[in-house]
Amino acid sequence: YNALAPGDSVTIGPIALEGGGNYSATVTRVGTAADSVKRYFYVEAVGRPPAPTRGERRQAVIVRTRVPQLCCAAAVTVVDTVYMGSGGGGSKKIDGNNSGVLPAGWAAACTDFPADSVAGVRTPNPSLVDDPAKVGGTPDIATDVSIDRTNVLNLGDMTYAELLEYADHTFVGDKTFTGTVPSIKDGECDRNDPDNWGAPTNSSHPCFNYFPIIHVTGNLILVGSGVAQGILLIGDNDDADLQLTGPFEFYGLAFIMDDLEMGGTVDFYGGAYVADHVVISGSPPRFFYDKCVIERAIRGSALARPRMLPDRSWVELF
């Protein structure tokens, strides 16, 4: 719906209800083309009872979407050490130069998000990066003495605590996923399935545009052959890690209370904020900044879902 020009509309339905009856709705974008961060929509819905009863009820509501400004001044913003170890030859393990290396089908989804480049690592102390030659970006390493453990996860328009309120699924304690498989229900992406992490490598899949916000209060461990996308919120305290062991691909954003650990054949596309250490072991793992991945993750998540205006949003049309 955010792609609609002012005055354009989309009709939904009619959609059958249990026990009979149906409803349909029309969504019309209002406002001006200049409303890029905040967009307003007029939604008019018509409900009809089961046959043979006749009649209908019509209501309307004004809603607004707001795209928060969250990311990113660097591929990885990290408070403490960045350890990349041996191996990998002369290739970059963390790269802030927009990757542009995305699965088939992403080109059409990325036309509104032109590539840019940022720092590879943003840190309060460049000496904490063990091998600067393995970092790429513009610049490779950016110094920001203002970041520390107390503020690194407070981002632009939102704090970490506010982000938690938008989580689609929360796992209490440590959570391990061995691979990920997108799920479908009644021909549509099953957003109620906590094990469904989208389908970033299949643009024809119903879950291609689904970017869940996943909150894990403890460690999140992703292992085995898997592909996932979304926004990860790791930890309710200062001792929760994100651990990725490949072969695994992730597309999106990660906000981590403690460490980011990557080993094996892992490719991470997007951006990350890490309140402690980054550890990349072995030669294959790579972290690539990508503007389109970040924007799609934010706009496709609960952060940008329409919400009713606080005052006078409903209109009873009869």
Side-chain angles (χ1 to χ4, degrees):
Y1 304 106
N2 281 317
L4 291 173
D8 287 352
S9 61
V10 173
T11 299
I12 306 161
I15 298 173
L17 299 170
E18 292 185 13
N22 65 76
Y23 72 91
S24 59
T26 300
V27 180
T28 304
R29 184 178 170 192
V30 297
T32 69
D35 300 326
S36 58
V37 175
K38 296 180 182 179
R39 298 189 179 188
Y40 295 85
F41 300 87
Y42 172 78
V43 184
E44 185 172 311
V46 182
R48 301 175 180 87
T53 305
R54 297 180 181 272
E56 64 181 35
R57 185 169 185 175
R58 187 181 300 263
Q59 290 182 309
V61 66
I62 302 293
V63 299
R64 181 183 71 183
T65 66
R66 182 174 183 270
V67 180
Q69 305 302 298
L70 295 181
C71 188
C72 292
V76 178
T77 296
V78 54
V79 173
D80 213 317
T81 57
V82 178
Y83 176 77
M84 288 171 285
S86 60
S91 62
K92 307 297 184 182
K93 290 192 173 183
I94 300 177
D95 200 341
N97 295 307
N98 206 98
S99 76
V101 183
L102 296 174
W106 277 68
C110 292
T111 54
D112 292 334
F113 313 117
D116 63 354
S117 294
V118 297
V121 171
R122 175 169 159 248
T123 172
N125 183 354
S127 68
L128 296 174
V129 180
D130 77 317
D131 192 344
K134 294 177 181 175
V135 180
T138 309
D140 296 340
I141 300 174
T143 303
D144 186 346
V145 296
S146 70
I147 59 173
D148 57 31
R149 290 187 68 99
T150 66
N151 64 24
V152 67
L153 300 184
N154 293 334
L155 317 158
D157 289 352
M158 304 182 74
T159 66
Y160 183 76
E162 289 172 330
L163 285 174
L164 294 178
E165 297 176 6
Y166 288 84
D168 294 289
H169 303 289
T170 295
F171 299 95
V172 178
D174 296 345
K175 181 66 178 178
T176 298
F177 281 93
T178 304
T180 56
V181 178
S183 57
I184 300 174
K185 184 177 182 180
D186 298 329
E188 297 184 356
C189 184
D190 186 1
R191 296 169 181 254
N192 293 320
D193 181 356
D195 295 338
N196 180 5
W197 288 32
T201 58
N202 184 355
S203 60
S204 63
H205 196 283
C207 295
F208 177 67
N209 292 313
Y210 173 48
F211 290 82
I213 300 178
I214 306 296
H215 172 214
V216 181
T217 64
N219 300 317
L220 173 60
I221 303 167
L222 302 175
V223 298
S225 180
V227 180
Q229 63 185 11
I231 297 176
L232 304 179
L233 308 175
I234 310 302
D236 278 356
N237 52 60
D238 60 358
D239 189 24
D241 303 338
L242 172 59
Q243 303 172 22
L244 301 99
T245 303
F248 205 94
E249 295 178 16
F250 183 81
Y251 299 80
L253 289 164
F255 304 100
I256 308 164
M257 280 281 191
D258 201 30
D259 300 339
L260 169 61
E261 301 176 5
M262 297 170 58
T265 309
V266 173
D267 289 323
F268 192 119
Y269 298 89
Y273 292 81
V274 184
D276 207 348
H277 308 285
V278 172
V279 180
I280 300 178
S281 58
S283 59
R286 300 286 187 271
F287 195 110
F288 302 98
Y289 166 81
D290 195 285
K291 175 71 170 179
C292 180
V293 170
I294 292 165
E295 290 297 332
R296 288 196 66 221
I298 294 172
R299 294 166 189 264
S301 74
L303 295 172
R305 286 181 192 154
R307 283 169 172 76
M308 290 186 295
L309 299 183
D311 298 312
R312 300 187 180 183
S313 59
W314 281 102
V315 179
E316 186 72 71
L317 300 177
F318 300 99

